[in-house]
Amino acid sequence: MSVLLTATCAVPAAGAVVTAALPAGTTESRRRTAKTVALVFSAVTLALAGTAAVRFDPDGARYQLTESYSWIRSFGITFSLGVDGIGAVLALLTAVLVPVVLLASWRDADPVRPAPAAEGAADRDTFEARRRTQGFFALVLAVEAMVIVSFYATDVFVFYVFFEAMLIPMYFLIGGFGDRAGGPESARQRSYAAVKFLLYNLLGGLVMLAAVIGLYVIAQDQGLATFDLQTLTGAVADGRLEFSGAAEKALFLGFFFAFAVKAPLWPLHTWLPNAMGEATAGTAVLITAVVDKVGTFAMLRFCIGLFPDASKTFAPAILVLSVIGIIYGALLAIGQKDIKRLVAYASISHFGFIIMGIFALTSQGQSGATLYMVNHGISTAAWMLVAGFLISRRGSRLIADYGGVQKVAPVLAGTFLIGGLATLSLPGLAPFVSEFLVLVGTFTRYPAIGIVATFGIVLAALYALLLYQRTMTGPVKEGVGGIPDLKARELAVVAPLVALTVLLGVYPKPLTDLVNPSVNATLSQVHQTDPAPAHPVADHGTAQDGTARSGGEHK
């Protein structure tokens, strides 16, 4: 039995423990040691996740590199791991982004002593003095470990445990290490955002717990006292596990509610702008590019796999919520005055596209949704991190405080433009491929939904280009003239993200080859095939001997 997946999960967990155990970062050398240790552990995790993705055979079994360890025998709970194409790609995305986040956040957790004359300086001084650099980096690694377990878990109970456990380090990252550009009220705002994030997601988790228990009770009554996902989905497929119509719908809604909060889907999204606005740029990337992807991934793996009939029943309603989220998020992004909240509302719009692709129940839609999870993670990470670099230089998140940045920091402005163009799905950049597939896959089954969702692309162009115009062009505003361009460390953060955005935009085949078999397996679970074209290509006629008939003979 391979232990590759266990190692991939264990390395960042061990890194979190080691980093947290280091002496408090009271000197620059101690802080640098903690940062370097965390970065090394994240690099090893990347190597392991990459190995798992490379070793996955798209033509082999659906779940590969499987491992299983007995945990709570009396309830049939095992610590079971296995990777399919979708899980392999998303775990690799997580492993790619965490070192980038650590490098981008190199100074975010360092103590800062505000000027004594500043309002609230005493309180902030006390708070900042208690900050421990290694605590921030340890929490990031803890989140990485829990997210990767969630992508690899093939036991429903194990998935639930880590799905909920990741809320704890995220709560401390948002509330304890928030954005320093929020002014004197920033500590209170961070606390509010962190509590709101925790309460929303805990509520979703409690509803899911009830559904998990209900699933076990029903399965036990039919001789399947287990939480093993492969056993349960196999039993659903061959009829050994049957639900009544009402029970299946209730269980589906219990799971889906938790995932829709995490994703987040309108109208359960309201925690996201607060969390991303008050968190550091690196933590904001963790939220939207890593943690939130667990919700959309789980819709594919658990909602559709375990409750196929209910998935088809609720698909039209979910598509309506998705398209509302697409338009709503984009419209609110256009009206934002805060850079980070704009990116947050843009992400709500993008998650609408992802969920729409999943529940269109077509191969193009689900392949596009999976690619969208990856491409959104990369492009939004680039956009948000460059925005974070800009905010840290000026000390303000307000769009109105910027102007003419491209004249004083052209490289920063250029990378910010690339992130914005990727967000609006410019052809040639990675998000275009996934958004195109989602729209095509949706249109073939639900043309009205597909048409309305297309307006989200127009609105995305507005918020992305207006943001660039207002911050980067025009005369240089007061306080902007002294902004330095990107430094070597910051270029090392942005360069791989930009490169991946371009590479996956022109050659997405490596990802599609990995995810397509898993998408096809998911569709087979709901007994769905792609709709036949409404207007098939006309057969211009072929004679029985195989020769084409002339135009005069064809009527």
Side-chain angles (χ1 to χ4, degrees), residues 225-255:
T226 182
F227 285 98
D228 182 71
L229 181 64
Q230 297 183 72
T231 301
L232 293 173
T233 54
V236 169
D238 61 23
R240 290 181 293 116
L241 177 57
E242 297 180 342
F243 305 98
S244 67
E248 181 173 0
K249 291 174 183 177
L251 293 176
F252 171 89
L253 290 174
F255 277 78

Side-chain angles (χ1 to χ4, degrees), residues 119-160:
E119 183 181 353
D123 292 340
R124 290 184 62 193
D125 182 43
T126 302
F127 174 75
E128 296 287 356
R130 293 201 304 266
R131 293 170 72 110
R132 298 174 68 224
T133 300
Q134 70 271 30
F136 176 87
F137 286 83
L139 289 170
V140 172
L141 290 176
V143 172
E144 179 181 27
M146 294 173 186
V147 169
I148 291 177
V149 172
S150 299
F151 289 140
Y152 287 162
T154 56
D155 183 282
V156 177
F157 187 82
V158 170
F159 172 84
Y160 172 77

Side-chain angles (χ1 to χ4, degrees), residues 33-329:
T33 299
K35 298 170 186 177
T36 303
V37 167
L39 191 60
V40 168
F41 273 96
S42 69
V44 174
T45 304
L46 173 57
L48 292 171
T51 301
V54 169
R55 289 182 59 182
F56 180 80
D57 179 10
D59 297 323
R62 178 171 184 183
Y63 293 102
Q64 301 175 26
L65 305 175
T66 55
E67 307 173 33
S68 184
Y69 308 95
S70 180
W71 187 11
I72 307 176
R73 292 185 178 181
S74 57
F75 290 100
I77 299 173
T78 60
F79 187 82
S80 298
L81 304 177
V83 63
D84 64 354
I86 299 172
V89 166
L90 293 177
L92 182 58
L93 169 69
T94 302
V96 167
L97 289 180
V98 167
V100 170
V101 166
L102 293 177
L103 201 57
S105 307
W106 206 251
R107 298 290 182 187
D108 286 354
D110 287 351
V112 174
R113 189 175 297 275
E119 183 181 353
D123 292 340
R124 290 184 62 193
D125 182 43
T126 302
F127 174 75
E128 296 287 356
R130 293 201 304 266
R131 293 170 72 110
R132 298 174 68 224
T133 300
Q134 70 271 30
F136 176 87
F137 286 83
L139 289 170
V140 172
L141 290 176
V143 172
E144 179 181 27
M146 294 173 186
V147 169
I148 291 177
V149 172
S150 299
F151 289 140
Y152 287 162
T154 56
D155 183 282
V156 177
F157 187 82
V158 170
F159 172 84
Y160 172 77
V161 168
F162 286 92
F163 179 81
E164 287 294 279
M166 67 180 72
L167 301 179
I168 304 306
M170 286 306 308
Y171 168 80
F172 287 109
L173 284 170
I174 297 168
F177 299 90
D179 188 6
R180 294 170 176 173
E185 293 295 316
S186 62
R188 184 179 303 171
Q189 292 166 353
R190 286 197 300 266
S191 177
Y192 171 78
V195 170
K196 189 173 183 180
F197 162 82
L198 187 64
L199 290 179
Y200 266 66
N201 283 276
L202 280 177
L203 174 61
L206 288 174
V207 174
M208 181 182 170
L209 177 60
V212 169
I213 295 171
L215 173 65
Y216 178 80
V217 170
I218 293 175
Q220 185 182 43
D221 288 344
Q222 300 180 41
L224 294 168
T226 182
F227 285 98
D228 182 71
L229 181 64
Q230 297 183 72
T231 301
L232 293 173
T233 54
V236 169
D238 61 23
R240 290 181 293 116
L241 177 57
E242 297 180 342
F243 305 98
S244 67
E248 181 173 0
K249 291 174 183 177
L251 293 176
F252 171 89
L253 290 174
F255 277 78
F256 180 79
F257 180 79
F259 304 151
V261 172
K262 183 88 79 178
L265 175 66
W266 183 92
L268 304 172
H269 65 282
T270 59
W271 62 268
L272 184 66
N274 297 99
M276 289 184 64
E278 298 305 323
T280 65
T283 301
V285 169
L286 278 182
I287 295 170
T288 191
V290 175
V291 171
D292 288 353
K293 298 302 188 298
V294 178
T296 48
F297 162 80
M299 291 178 188
L300 276 167
R301 176 168 283 188
F302 296 97
C303 287
I304 295 178
L306 291 170
F307 316 110
D309 292 336
S311 296
K312 289 187 285 188
T313 299
F314 288 108
I318 295 170
L319 290 173
V320 170
L321 295 179
S322 299
V323 79
I324 291 174
I326 290 169
I327 304 301
Y328 169 88

Side-chain angles (χ1 to χ4, degrees), residues 388-402:
F389 296 151
L390 178 66
I391 291 167
S392 67
R393 286 158 163 75
R394 178 69 174 83
S396 172
R397 304 199 309 250
L398 297 178
I399 296 172
D401 289 340
Y402 295 90

